[in-house]
Structure formats: C-alpha cells, structure tokens
C-alpha cells in the first residue's frame, strides 16, 4: 500500500445492498459527523447518527443480519440533509449510500406509507395538485382541515395568478408543490430575473416535478421517470434556473441518477437562482445597485441555509452576496448549517423528531435576534413558518427592495 | 515479524529497574514496618495536625539529579531546598511553579518534597497555576517498602491512573517522596509588584491582564505584573494610580474560599491578605469552616489512606482533613 | 442473497427477556433503554479499531438520579457498567468488554450554569467540548482543552481521558481545567470531588479521578474552569524541506524561552491528505509543516511571533502568517480533521499516541518511517510537536490478508522505541484496551499495584468498565473471561 491519493481497489463482489464497496468502507468511523447530524443532536443515539447508519449499512450489506425494525427506523429517521457530508474530512458519499440503501429496502419490503405514495403521485399531476390544493385551501378557510395537514402553509392560496413567459433567455423551473402553494415566490423570482434584462421561459406542466422527494423515499424508478420528463421538457442550451434548493440539488444530480450524456449535459445547465444572480448583480435594473447608499430593507435578516443548498450544492454563499446590497444587516445562524427538520416529506413522516430538530433551529434563530429569516427552499420556509418563524424567500425580499427602491 | 533488537529491550528493562543507589538506600531506610515522620524544611510542619513524637523521623535524599533545559524538565531529590533548585535553573533562565519564598517573606528553606506534600501553590497562581500541574513524575516509597514510580518523565502523559495528583497535597500520608520530575518554565521577562491604595480589587482583576498575583487586605491592593514590558505598561495604564512596593507579609493560616466570596470577608478574619481571583485568604487564625467533608467523600478519603497505608506508618497523627 | 425483513413483534436478538433490561425499562422508561441489536452493535465500538465484547443494554439517562438508578439496577443484577460519551475515543476505552450496561451520556447535554465572575461553568458530561466554548465565547471565555475531536467529543469524555489538544502546550491538559466533579460511584453513592473554593479539603480525589477512563465512577456534573480568550493571536505556518529541520526548529523555539500556545507538525503525506479536504494552501511540496501559534497580549504576541519566525528561518523555513481569523480557522480545521481525512488514503487507520522527549523527535521519527517501510504500511505523521506527543498514523485496508497483523507489529515497535528513549505509552488517548498489555513495559509490578489501589478505593466492586487500563495480573477483573464472553445478539 502506498500513498497515491486514491482509495485501494474495491473488492469485486458487491454485498446484499449492492452498495459501492469503496464508498461503503470509506468511513473510518472518526465521528466528526456526529454533531452535524440533526437527529443525533436530538436523540443522542448512535442509531440516529451518520456513522451509525453507515455501520448498519455495512452489517446489512455483509449479510450479517436481515432487516430489523430498528435498522429500518435508523434509516427512516435520516432526514438526508447531508450535513454529515460537509463535515466529513474523508469525503464519504453518505447521501448516495443512503439513497441506494433506501431503494433496496423499499423494493424488498414496502416502507413508504400509502398516503405518502398517493401524495408523491399527485404532485406529478400539476392540475390535480392545484385543484387539490385549492380544495385544501378552501377547507382551511372553513376550518374543516384534519390535523394531519398541520405541516402545510397556514393560509394556502385558493386562486393563483397566472405566470407568463416573457421570452426564452433562461428557463425558470416552477416545479410541483411550490407552483401550487407558493407561486408568489415564482413571481418575485421572475421579476428579479427580468430586472437584469433577461427574459424568462417557465418550465410549466411539461416538467411537473423534479423527483427529489421520490429519491428520498427510495422510489428510484419514479424518480428516474420524472427526471427523464424534466430533461426532455426543457430542451436547448439555455440555463435552467431553480429557486428551490431541494429541486436544484436533485436536478444537478440527474447526470448521476440517469447516467446518460443527455442528462449530464442537462445537469450542467442547472443553476440555483442565487448563484446565477450573483454573477449579474451589476445589471440589476431599474437602479444600479451601487447607487444605493442605504440598503432599502432596513431589517436584521438571518440567513437560514437550506441543506441542499449548503451541503449539496455548496452555493449558499451566493444568497448572502445577492442579499447584501438590499439588506441593512445580514446575520448568519451559529449552528453551522444544521437542518431545520423539514426535509421534504420528512416532517410529515417523522413529525415528532422533525419538530425537535426545528426547535434547535428556532433556538439558533432566536439567538441571532433577527427581524426576519430568509430561506432559499420552499420546504424549509413552510416548515419554519408553521413553527411560528417570520420567513420569506430571498427573491421575495429582493423583489420587494426593487419595488420600494 | 522481526525481533526487536536487543538494545531496545535492554533499554526497556533498564527503565523499569531502578538501580539508583541513593533511591535504593532511601527505600531500605523507609523499610516496611515502623511509623515514620518525613522531615523537610520544617516550614509547614505546623499544618495538618501534630506528628506522633514516637515515630522515627527521616529525611529524603537531596540534590538535582538531571536538569534538561531543552526539555524544560528537571529531576530533583525530595529534600532539595526549592531555593537551591531555582538558583540552578536560573542559570538557564528557567524556574518551576513551586513557591520558593523569594518573593515573599519566610519559607525560604522549603524543600521540594515538602512543598509537594503540602500542595500549596504560590501567590502567583493566576499565572503559574497549581503546584500539582508542575509535577510530571514522582518516585516514592510505598508502605510495603517498594519503590514506586508515578506518572512519567515527559511533559504530557496519560499512561495509567494519575498517582501524582493524589500524592500532591497528601501531606506525606500515602508514601515517602524520594524524587520528582518537575516541569520548568521560562523566568518572567519582566515583573513588578505594584501597590494601589483604596483600589477595587475586582476592577484590578478584570483589568490587569498580565497579573500573576493580586493581593488585597481590605484596603490596599498589591499586584504582580509579569510578561513583556509593553504589555505590563499598558496594563499599568489601565489600573488605578500605583506605586512600586514589596508584597505584604502573609499571615500563617490559609482559608479556602470561592474567589467571588473574598470581597465579603469581614472582621471575623482579623488581619488578612486575600488572593483575588484565586480564593486563598491568609489569616492569623485557622479557618473556622475548614476541614468539612461530606460523609461520602470523607469515607472515600479514609479508604484511600487505608489502602495505601493500612497501618498508618506515614506521618501518624497528621491528616489531610486537618490541613 | 436478499434482504429479509423481520416484523415488529420480532426484534432481532434483542435482550427483551433479560430481567436486568426489564428493571431498567421499568425504572427509566422504554425510551431510555435500548436493547435491540442495532443500538448494541453501535455501542460496541468507539472511534478506534479495538473491539472486545458487546454492549449488553444501552441506557440514555438525562439526570444524576437516573444514573444512580441505573447503578442500583446494575448492583441488583451484578452487572458491569460502562459510561460512554460521543464514542470518539481512540484507545478502545469505550469499547465494552464482556456485556456491560452502557450508559450513554449524550442526553446529559445541558450547560447548567455559567459563572463569569468565578470563571467557571457547571456542565453535564454529555456537553460537547466545542459547544461550551461557542456558548461562552461571546462573553470572552472558552474551555481550554481542545482535542482534535473537540467538535464531537464530550466534556465527560475529556474528564475520563484527561484529554489534551494542540493548545495544551501552554494551557495544560484537562486536569488543570476541572474544578469539581459530581460522580456516581459503583456503590451508587453520589460524591462531589474537588470544589469551587481555592484549596478543597482532603486528598485531590478530583485529580485522581480525571483520566480514570470510566473506571472510578460515572461523572454526572462537571465544574470546568473557563479561560479568557486571548486578546491577540498570531498563527504561523512554517514549511521545511526536511523533517529534521522542522524538529530542530521545535527544540530551538522552546530553548529560546518561548512557550507558544501550540506547536503542531504535519508531514508530507499528511499535508497532502489534509489539503485535499480543506484547500487552505498547505504547502504540499514541503517535507514537513509546523503550525505555531502564539497568543496573549498584543505586544508580547508580536514580539514572540517575530522571534519564532526568526528561529524558523535560521532552520530554512518558509514562513507564512495567517492573514486573518478565517485563514487561521481554516488551518486549524485542516489540522484537526487530519485523522478523518485519512479516509482519502485508505479505509482503515491506526492512530498511535506516544510521547518522547522533544530532543529525540528526529531520531524517533526517522525510526518510525523505517518501521512503516519494513511493514509495508502507509505512514502519516501529524502531532503535537511542542510536547513531543507523537501520533504516527498507519493507513491500511483491514480486509487485506495480514494487514492487521502488520499494523499490530509495527505499532508495538513504535511503542517500545518510544519507551526506550525515555517516553511514555500515551500522551492523550489513554490506555483503554489498546495499551493495557503494554503497561508492564512502562511500569513495574509495584507501580501497577499502587494504581490498582487507587481504583479499588473508588470502585472496590470492579463494576465500572472492567478489564481496561490495568493488565491481567493487576486488574480485579478476569480479563480472560471478559474477552471470551460471547456477545449474544450483536453482529460480529
């Protein structure tokens, strides 16, 4: 064995889970991931830690045990925030290992509850989703909503203003739930893009859902199907801008997921809206931002980094860059980008654990002593709002600043 | 596997076998049966009870065994006077954190073993830390007459349980200290004692970043500032008007308090000098609250002494509870 | 082979029919007592490569009273008890022998009181080291011991191992920063060792307890000393063409009368692994890199930093000074993640920990590289050069035939070498199970007998973490029996 900077050859035979052996054994169990894992922070249990979950993957993969209730629970309680990946000095691809493990477990024995499967199917049919959402919104107004719907925004829109494409310089991916529930964010995003002199083409119903939630649930087949639909619905070479960190992360990994040249080319076009805008701040109309002596938003604004922006895409710095000219005081939370507990469908699947994780986040927000929190992911924003946090999308704040200024 | 060469094995064996005739002779002198009172510089023999006059009194060997300025360690016999040790170390610009009495009146003939057995730190504890943290290795004769090595010669060591810590401040009741390896440190580049009349000791503590000692007698604050000259100067500029002065004479008894309780010391103490930020109060009378332990902790203390010295051979009549 | 699922009624290999587990569950509730194979499997190792027995039952108390209740059940069923923090230890100290009840302190994670006037904090043992410093930093204080694992390790674990860290060169190890401890003894009694007053009465039981590797009692509350943050800090990165030059610089700096806050050395292999993680501009072409930090008051710090740079330059160093706090933080992040970064080199590592006199550093390092070459192992060195605390790190693949044996043989030679030049077995990782059987190389039978007495004073029942630290002849535990204990229900 010599230093070569690369890992030794992996054994030829894959185990029960079919995981990449080099990846699976790249964990040296140093434990540096533990404090960055939201579920370990809450329960203190090794079964709820990245190091523990990998150790369990190893015993499963080696065939030392069959699936037990507790192992399934250890995997089900993983939010897949991938905070552990950022903390890992050894580059262990935890997210990939967990997704692959969950897919095997899902195909071996059904794990996903019927209602989640139904929901995940519904969100791929935009009209059905919008109709259903309006019905839920109506039920909200009539106070007829069953408690199971606690996690959703408190006042969902019944009618939605129509979004209109203005050209085709860039694609704006509108997605599923976000389009139905938070179309205001899309309006704001489109306004900000157009303020730079760029025209926007909306992805629309042809690309109904990015499939991130399906991947997380271990529903790999559906996720790949959705990815294919998105890739073919957004042809050309123009950038694909995404204002949802979770969707952006998923779409940037289509290349790996589908493993085709077309998908890799597509993923290369995907940009988080903030990283795109950070390059064009100077062209932001109507006023050149350099003229702003006083930022128009006179608030202390805390930045909550969505995990899939910070830990997966690594573009969270851009959020600060684009907000800086518009906000008088930007503050970071002191929790090293810890997850807020939303985790796509996680908050619905593990409500108690998610709420405890959110409590940690809310404590960090309180320590930051901010007037307002921004989050670049709709799921986080909704979940924090449901926890009583005053939160909005960075694009909404910039749009407001542009309108005010 | 290749066989490790003999030299390594020889060195290992040599290390474990104490061949130093001085130590062997001392161990033989201590023996394994009769009661013994260890005598040092007799500067603190009034503390911790009265030793049984019938016990045989014994002196540890003295002299510096090995001084390694580059390692910042020194091995010294227990009966070596601290002042003698520090004189030797000063030739290389070093000293130890043991109190040597050179700054303060009295206690000039304390021995290294005595200072360690009593375990009382100098007034410069803010800077020098506790005496126990200066002790790296102790060799002592146990109650059964065996020579025992506690700790190790290096500045960092967590090999096995920390017998050194329990020996420091044990008043010689657990074993007879023969020699000791101490950590040395550079002599302060600059140091000066200041005197501030009617100053607020709390403010001095918060402002004097270079303070090694802050003493207070209820009205006057003395502070020793150490370090780089510029840092001392800027410290002094932050402090109330001061003049150079020698530190005060310390009354003989020590009261142990929480640092923040010092400011409430009243007339019950009589004349006192309090170590601000540390909690030691030097008083004219013994501490009325001293020596109180919870029943569980007292039992644990007793168990330690019973196990190490089941027949109470060492310093009979004296005890750490009375210290 | 395909995965088979077991139903909820059929928790695999659980200890549900263990009467001790039932008593614990009755006392603490199901949520605090884990008996399933997954929990027990994961509590059967720490961050080291050492394994022995298996966790029998894993408990998660939150209070002193709950720890006391666990001890009462353990006494009733005559079971051994093993306290566990974050499981980041490297000597197998928290890897159970036999089938003890494992008491995880991770839910005892509250900072109970911060007293800035007396510069101390009362914490529960499961508080993470770095969390405490983060919490007190806005007030200008921190907890000085800073082991490389400080972002994960618990303060209870620091107490058990008398942990060190880079900055212990100037600030001292954990023992110097612990004022008082609340401990549950193996008898079930609660004692408070040490105290907040300046000179607590009695033997220094606090000092004896620190570093006792979970064998004297279970810490339930800790009063730690808080250290003022330095007014000024300067961090220098010195790169050298030879390891010898770097080591000579360490000695020269110390000899010049300076006591820097930290002196760390990384060799070429280590720099390569670290740089690919942190991208901090570590010089990958240097044979060795020293990180030297001086802190204190501004005038002294500038003068000392200049002096360090001068000394280093006379030994051929290229000197860089951290431009700002961000750069400094990045350098330290690189230094402190070195061990984990080894995963980029090989899937397993064995991280050694010995101390040698500073003057022997060059000689010992050369021998260490020679040993590695002889056993065909990848060797990286990253260590606390200022106090001679070596951390030779062997990266290997345990699934290669004979690899474990080669590592064991090489590490034995390194240990013997360190002792032969006047060093000690461990500088900060502790003895645990890793070096237990080497204790007779450093200590005589009489020495070990005295250490055993100390243990007996605290735990006459040999209930706590049995089989560690003291070798067979001096341990009250039957190590052979413990090691042979069949671990029912935990995957080997």
């Amino acid at each position: 064995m010599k230093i070569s900077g690369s890992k030794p050859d992996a054994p030829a035979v894959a185990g029960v889970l079919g995981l990449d052996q080099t990846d699976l054994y790249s964990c040296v169990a140093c434990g540096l991931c533990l404090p960055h894992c939201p579920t370990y922070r809450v329960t203190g249990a090794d079964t709820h830690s990245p190091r523990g979950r990998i150790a369990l993957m190893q015993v499963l993969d080696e065939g030392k045990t069959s699936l037990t209730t507790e192992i399934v629970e250890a995997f089900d309680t993983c939010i897949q925030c991938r905070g552990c990946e950022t903390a890992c000095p050894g580059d262990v691809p935890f997210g990939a290992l967990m997704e692959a493990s969950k897919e095997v477990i899902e195909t071996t024995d059904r794990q996903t509850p019927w209602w989640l499967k139904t929901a995940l199917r519904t969100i791929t049919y935009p009209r059905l989703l919008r109709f259903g959402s309006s019905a839920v919104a109506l039920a909200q107004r009539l106070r007829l909503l069953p408690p199971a719907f606690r996690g959703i925004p408190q006042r969902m829109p019944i009618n939605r203003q129509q979004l209109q494409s203005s050209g085709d310089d860039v694609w704006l991916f509108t997605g599923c739930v976000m389009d139905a529930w938070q179309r205001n964010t899309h309006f704001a995003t489109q306004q900000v893009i157009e303020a730079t002199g760029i025209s926007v083409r909306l992805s629309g119903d042809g690309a109904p859902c990015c499939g991130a939630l399906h991947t997380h649930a271990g529903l790999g087949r559906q996720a790949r199907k959705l990815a294919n639909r998105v890739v073919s619905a957004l042809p050309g070479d123009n950038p694909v801008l995404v204002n949802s960190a979770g969707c952006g992360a998923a779409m940037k990994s289509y290349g790996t997921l589908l493993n085709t040249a077309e998908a890799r080319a597509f993923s290369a076009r995907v940009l988080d809206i903030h990283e795109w805008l950070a390059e064009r701040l100077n062209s932001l109309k109507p006023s050149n931002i350099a003229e702003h002596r006083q930022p128009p938003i006179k608030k202390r604004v805390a930045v909550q980094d969505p995990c899939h922006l910070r830990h997966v895409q690594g573009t969270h710095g851009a959020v600060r860059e684009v907000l800086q000219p518009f906000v008088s005081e930007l503050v970071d939370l002191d929790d090293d980008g810890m997850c807020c507990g939303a985790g796509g469908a996680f908050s619905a699947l593990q409500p108690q654990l998610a709420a405890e994780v959110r409590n940690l986040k809310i404590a960090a927000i309180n320590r930051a002593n901010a007037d307002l929190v921004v989050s670049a992911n709709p799921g986080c924003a909704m979940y924090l709002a449901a926890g009583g946090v005053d939160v909005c999308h960075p694009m909404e704040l910039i749009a407001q600043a542009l309108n005010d200024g | 596997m290749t066989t490790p060469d003999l030299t390594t094995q020889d060195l290992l064996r040599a290390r474990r076998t104490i061949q130093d005739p001085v130590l062997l002779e001392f161990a033989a002198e201590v023996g394994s049966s009769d009661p013994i009172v260890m005598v040092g510089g007799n500067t603190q023999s009034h503390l911790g009870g009265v030793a049984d006059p019938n016990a045989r009194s014994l002196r540890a060997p003295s002299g510096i065994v090995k001084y390694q300025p580059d390692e910042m360690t020194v091995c010294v016999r227990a009966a070596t006077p601290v002042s003698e040790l520090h004189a030797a170390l000063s030739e290389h610009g070093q000293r130890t954190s043991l109190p040597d009495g050179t700054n303060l009146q009295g206690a000039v003939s304390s021995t290294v073993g005595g200072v360690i057995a009593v375990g009382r730190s100098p007034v410069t504890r803010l800077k020098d830390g506790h005496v126990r943290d200066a002790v790296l290795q102790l060799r002592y004769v146990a109650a059964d007459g065996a020579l025992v090595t506690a700790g190790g010669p290096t500045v960092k060591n967590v090999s096995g349980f920390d017998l050194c810590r329990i020996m420091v401040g044990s008043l010689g009741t657990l074993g007879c200290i023969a020699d000791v390896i101490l950590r040395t440190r550079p002599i302060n580049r600059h140091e000066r004692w200041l005197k501030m009349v009617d100053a607020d000791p709390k403010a001095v503590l918060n402002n004097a970043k270079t303070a090694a000692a802050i003493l207070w007698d209820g009205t006057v604050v003395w502070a020793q500032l150490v370090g780089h000259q510029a840092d001392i100067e800027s410290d002094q500029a932050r402090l109330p008007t001061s003049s150079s002065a020698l530190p005060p004479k310390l009354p003989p008894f020590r009261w142990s308090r929480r640092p923040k309780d010092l400011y409430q010391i009243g007339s019950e103490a009589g004349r006192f000098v309090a170590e601000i930020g540390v909690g030691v109060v030097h008083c004219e009378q013994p501490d009325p609250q001293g020596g109180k332990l919870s029943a569980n902790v007292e039992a644990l203390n007793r168990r330690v002494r019973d196990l190490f010295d089941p027949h109470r051979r060492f310093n009979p009549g004296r005890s750490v509870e009375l210290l | 082979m395909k995965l088979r699922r077991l139903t909820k009624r059929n928790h695999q290999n659980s200890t549900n029919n263990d009467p001790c587990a039932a008593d614990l569950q009755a006392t603490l509730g199901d949520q605090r007592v884990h008996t399933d194979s997954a929990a027990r499997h994961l509590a059967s190792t720490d961050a080291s490569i050492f394994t022995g027995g298996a966790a029998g039952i894993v408990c998660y108390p939150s209070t002193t009273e709950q720890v006391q209740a666990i001890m009462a059940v353990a006494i009733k069923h005559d079971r051994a008890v093993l306290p566990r923090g974050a499981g980041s230890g490297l000597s197998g100290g928290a890897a159970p022998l036999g089938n003890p009840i494992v008491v995880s302190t991770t839910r005892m994670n509250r900072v109970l009181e911060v007293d800035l006037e007396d510069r101390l904090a009362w914490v529960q043992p499961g508080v993470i080291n770095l969390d405490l410093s983060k919490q007190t930093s806005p007030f200008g204080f921190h907890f000085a011991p800073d082991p490389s694992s400080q972002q994960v390790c618990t303060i209870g674990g620091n107490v058990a191992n008398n942990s060190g860290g880079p900055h212990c060169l100037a600030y001292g190890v954990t023992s110097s920063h612990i004022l008082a401890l609340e401990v549950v003894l193996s008898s079930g009694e609660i004692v408070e060792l040490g105290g907040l007053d300046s000179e607590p009465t009695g033997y220094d039981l606090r000092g004896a307890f620190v570093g006792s590797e979970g064998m004297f009692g279970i810490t339930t509350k800790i009063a730690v000393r808080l250290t003022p943050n330095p007014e000024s800090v300067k961090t220098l990165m010195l790169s050298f063409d030879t390891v010898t030059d770097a080591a000579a610089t360490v000695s020269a700096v110390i000899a010049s009368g300076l006591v820097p806050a930290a002196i760390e050395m990384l060799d070429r292999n280590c720099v390569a692994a670290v740089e690919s993680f942190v991208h901090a501009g570590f010089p990958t072409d240097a044979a060795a890199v020293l990180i030297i930090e001086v802190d204190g008051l501004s005038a002294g710090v500038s003068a000392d930093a200049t002096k360090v740079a001068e000394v280093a330059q006379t030994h051929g160093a290229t000197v860089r000074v951290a431009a700002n706090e961000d750069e400094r933080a990045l350098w330290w992040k690189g230094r402190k993640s070195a061990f984990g970064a080894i995963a980029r080199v090989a899937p397993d590592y064995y991280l050694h920990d010995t101390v040698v006199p500073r003057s022997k550093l060059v000689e010992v390092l050369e021998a260490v590289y020679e040993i590695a070459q002889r056993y065909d192992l990848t060797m990286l060195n990253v260590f606390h050069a200022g106090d001679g605390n070596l951390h030779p790190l062997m990266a290997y693949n345990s699934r290669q035939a004979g690899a474990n044996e080669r590592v064991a043989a090489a590490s034995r030679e390194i240990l013997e070498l360190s002792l032969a030049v006047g060093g000690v077995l461990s500088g900060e990782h502790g003895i645990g199970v890793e070096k237990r059987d080497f204790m007779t190389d450093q200590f005589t039978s009489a020495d070990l007998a005295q250490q055993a007495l100390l243990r007996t004073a605290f735990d006459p029942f040999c209930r706590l973490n049995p089989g560690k630290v003291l070798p067979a002849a001096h341990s009250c535990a039957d190590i052979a029996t413990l090691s042979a204990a069949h671990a029912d229900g935990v995957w080997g």
Side-chain angles (χ1 to χ4, degrees), chain B:
Chain B
M1 179 177 164
T2 55
T3 318
D5 57 85
L6 275 175
T7 335
T8 305
Q9 291 303 321
D10 286 346
L11 286 167
L12 284 177
R13 230 187 331 275
R15 182 191 167 126
R16 288 194 308 270
T17 320
I18 298 176
Q19 284 161 330
D20 184 342
V22 178
L23 291 184
L24 294 175
E25 195 185 318
F26 178 59
E29 237 183 306
V30 171
S32 59
S33 53
D34 59 331
I36 285 173
V37 171
M38 290 300 295
V39 181
N42 258 327
T43 59
Q44 302 179 94
S45 49
H46 59 290
L47 299 172
V50 181
D52 182 349
N54 298 319
R56 175 163 63 102
S57 68
L58 203 60
R59 232 183 135 70
S62 79
I64 293 171
V65 183
K66 190 179 182 186
Y67 174 33
Q68 295 177 282
D70 292 355
E71 297 293 338
M72 302 194 79
T73 61
V74 61
C75 181
V76 59
R77 307 278 193 216
T80 313
V82 179
S83 50
E84 187 182 314
L85 170 68
H86 282 178
L89 300 188
S90 69
E91 289 175 24
H92 291 268
Q94 296 182 352
R95 54 168 284 137
T96 72
S97 295
L98 268 48
D100 60 2
T102 51
N103 285 329
L104 304 165
Q105 295 78 357
V108 282
S109 56
S110 295
T111 62
V112 169
V115 164
I116 287 169
V118 175
R120 298 307 195 205
S121 303
V123 291
T124 50
R125 188 161 142 189
L126 284 178
K127 168 91 167 138
D128 295 342
H130 200 285
V131 163
R132 61 183 172 233
D133 295 330
V135 178
L136 302 174
Q137 176 186 291
L138 267 173
R139 278 192 288 206
Y140 61 91
V141 183
D144 60 1
L147 259 173
V148 174
T149 306
T154 54
V155 292
K156 206 167 173 191
N157 175 24
V158 293
S159 314
F161 301 133
D162 200 342
L163 287 168
C164 284
R165 287 296 193 285
I166 201 104
M167 295 300 292
V168 176
S170 66
L171 209 58
T173 57
L174 303 178
C176 297
I177 303 172
D179 69 17
V180 49
I181 296 180
L182 296 167
R183 179 201 284 269
T184 66
R185 57 175 191 76
I187 287 176
N188 295 324
R189 233 172 280 256
H190 299 277
E191 55 180 49
R192 70 177 66 147
W193 275 98
L194 303 174
K195 181 175 167 178
M196 289 153 274
V197 181
D198 284 332
D200 174 9
K202 213 184 277 190
V204 174
L205 177 65
N206 289 332
N207 286 315
K209 313 265 182 218
T210 59
I214 300 171
L215 305 176
W216 180 59
D217 70 355
T219 50
V220 179
V221 177
W222 292 263
Q224 189 193 34
L225 306 184
V226 304
H228 280 264
Q229 186 134 21
D231 290 329
I232 294 179
E233 307 279 330
S234 56
D235 242 8
Q236 203 170 343
R238 273 194 295 265
L239 295 174
T241 318
S242 58
S243 55
S244 294
L246 285 174
K249 189 170 163 54
L250 300 179
F253 293 96
R254 297 165 79 101
W255 297 12
S256 174
R257 293 291 181 272
R258 283 188 70 161
K260 69 175 173 192
D261 292 341
L262 294 181
Y263 312 109
Q264 280 95 50
I265 295 171
S267 54
E268 82 280 3
R271 190 181 90 84
F272 72 90
V273 176
E275 296 182 20
I276 299 299
V278 174
V280 176
V281 193
H282 303 265
C283 293
E284 299 288 358
Q285 308 100 38
D287 186 356
Q289 297 172 27
K292 282 183 194 133
L293 287 173
S294 75
N296 288 346
V297 178
E298 196 181 337
L300 193 50
N301 270 282
R302 203 166 42 241
R303 209 147 63 222
V304 168
R305 191 165 183 183
D306 286 347
L307 284 164
F308 279 83
D309 182 16
H311 304 296
R312 292 281 193 276
R313 290 190 59 205
F314 297 143
N315 273 347
R318 295 180 79 183
S319 118
V320 284
E321 281 90 347
L322 302 173
L323 196 58

Side-chain angles (χ1 to χ4, degrees), chain A residues 5-141:
Chain A
S6 66
K7 287 161 190 162
D9 297 337
V13 189
V16 177
L17 290 177
L19 298 175
D20 182 303
Q21 296 292 294
T22 307
D23 289 350
L24 183 59
Y25 291 93
S26 62
C27 172
V28 295
C30 67
L32 290 186
C33 53
L34 299 183
H36 303 280
C37 174
T39 55
Y40 176 80
R41 275 285 182 174
V42 166
T43 70
D46 287 294
T47 45
H48 290 154
S49 76
R51 175 175 74 172
R53 288 173 177 129
I54 288 180
L56 294 177
M57 287 175 205
Q58 290 172 348
V59 287
L60 275 180
D61 196 65
E62 289 165 16
K64 287 180 175 167
T65 175
S66 47
L67 220 46
T68 70
T69 315
E70 290 81 12
I71 294 181
V72 171
E73 197 258 357
F75 291 177
D76 280 350
T77 51
C78 174
I79 310 179
Q80 300 182 61
C81 67
R82 292 164 71 177
C84 50
E85 287 190 11
T86 310
C88 178
D91 260 352
V92 177
F94 179 86
L97 288 168
M98 182 52 83
E99 283 170 11
S101 301
K102 288 198 80 151
E103 188 170 344
V104 176
I105 292 169
E106 179 63 27
T107 49
T108 310
D109 196 345
R110 189 181 64 77
Q111 294 299 316
T112 313
W114 67 268
W115 57 266
L116 179 61
K117 280 198 168 169
T118 308
L120 290 179
R121 201 163 301 133
T122 307
I123 61 174
T124 66
Y125 297 99
R127 282 166 198 223
L128 180 60
L129 173 61
R130 287 193 291 267
F131 175 76
S133 301
S134 295
V136 169
L138 197 61
Q140 275 183 330
R141 309 297 196 276

Side-chain angles (χ1 to χ4, degrees), chain C residues 145-185:
Chain C
D146 63 336
S148 295
S149 58
Q150 73 177 132
Q151 58 168 307
V152 50
C153 63
T154 64
I155 295 176
N158 296 161
V159 168
N161 289 290
N162 195 8
S163 301
H167 290 83
C168 289
L169 180 60
Y171 291 93
V173 292
T174 298
S175 183
S176 307
H177 301 275
I178 301 300
L179 298 167
L181 296 162
E182 179 189 81
V183 170
V184 173
L185 297 175

Side-chain angles (χ1 to χ4, degrees), chain C residues 227-266:
Chain C
T227 303
N229 295 343
E231 179 184 284
S232 170
V233 180
K234 269 202 166 43
T235 310
L236 293 86
M237 188 188 285
L238 315 169
S239 35
F240 297 88
D241 292 337
T242 68
V243 173
T244 311
D245 283 337
T249 302
V250 174
S251 294
V253 166
I254 299 286
S256 73
L258 296 176
V259 183
I263 303 182
E264 299 289 300
M265 194 192 291
L266 294 83

Side-chain angles (χ1 to χ4, degrees), chain C residues 100 127 129-130 180 189 247 383 388 402 448 458:
Chain C
V127 171
N129 174 305
L130 188 59
E189 291 168 289
F383 59 98
L448 293 171
F458 280 91

Side-chain angles (χ1 to χ4, degrees), chain C residues 3-253:
Chain C
L3 275 179
R4 222 164 9 92
R5 173 142 197 234
L6 298 171
T7 64
K8 263 206 154 50
R9 287 182 302 280
N10 196 7
H11 298 259
Q12 191 204 25
N13 293 324
S14 77
T15 55
N16 266 353
N17 47 4
D18 181 342
C20 179
D23 275 358
L24 286 168
Q25 277 162 340
T27 317
L28 302 175
D30 288 356
Q31 292 295 310
R32 297 190 183 279
V33 182
H34 293 195
T35 58
D36 59 279
S37 299
R40 292 173 55 211
H41 175 70
L42 298 182
S44 298
T45 51
D46 53 16
S48 74
I49 55 172
F50 303 100
T51 51
I57 301 165
V58 190
C59 298
Y60 294 91
S62 294
T63 64
T64 304
E65 291 68 32
Q66 285 165 353
V67 173
Q68 200 178 21
I70 293 168
M71 199 64 85
V73 174
I75 292 168
K76 177 180 164 194
H77 294 275
D78 196 22
R79 293 285 289 264
V81 177
L82 165 59
R84 174 186 175 89
S88 58
L90 290 160
S91 65
L97 295 176
N99 281 288
I101 298 169
V102 172
V103 180
S104 168
T105 59
T106 51
R107 289 190 199 167
M108 303 181 77
N109 59 358
R110 285 184 305 134
V111 174
L112 301 167
E113 184 193 339
V114 175
D115 182 338
L116 294 180
E117 186 175 357
D118 270 357
R119 300 181 179 182
L120 64 90
W122 274 106
V123 300
Q124 286 191 303
V127 171
I128 292 173
N129 174 305
L130 188 59
D131 283 1
L132 178 62
S133 288
K134 275 188 177 173
Q135 201 172 323
T136 54
S137 183
F139 308 106
F141 292 91
H142 69 288
F143 179 53
D146 63 336
S148 295
S149 58
Q150 73 177 132
Q151 58 168 307
V152 50
C153 63
T154 64
I155 295 176
N158 296 161
V159 168
N161 289 290
N162 195 8
S163 301
H167 290 83
C168 289
L169 180 60
Y171 291 93
V173 292
T174 298
S175 183
S176 307
H177 301 275
I178 301 300
L179 298 167
L181 296 162
E182 179 189 81
V183 170
V184 173
L185 297 175
S186 65
S187 60
E189 291 168 289
I190 297 174
V191 290
E192 188 176 316
L193 311 177
L196 305 187
D197 55 329
S198 54
E199 293 173 337
T201 303
Y203 295 116
D204 184 13
L205 300 172
R206 172 214 63 86
F209 188 93
V210 176
S212 60
E213 304 201 23
M215 298 171 72
F216 286 11
I218 302 182
T219 317
T220 48
K221 268 168 73 178
I222 305 163
V224 302
R225 182 193 306 285
L226 296 175
T227 303
N229 295 343
E231 179 184 284
S232 170
V233 180
K234 269 202 166 43
T235 310
L236 293 86
M237 188 188 285
L238 315 169
S239 35
F240 297 88
D241 292 337
T242 68
V243 173
T244 311
D245 283 337
T249 302
V250 174
S251 294
V253 166

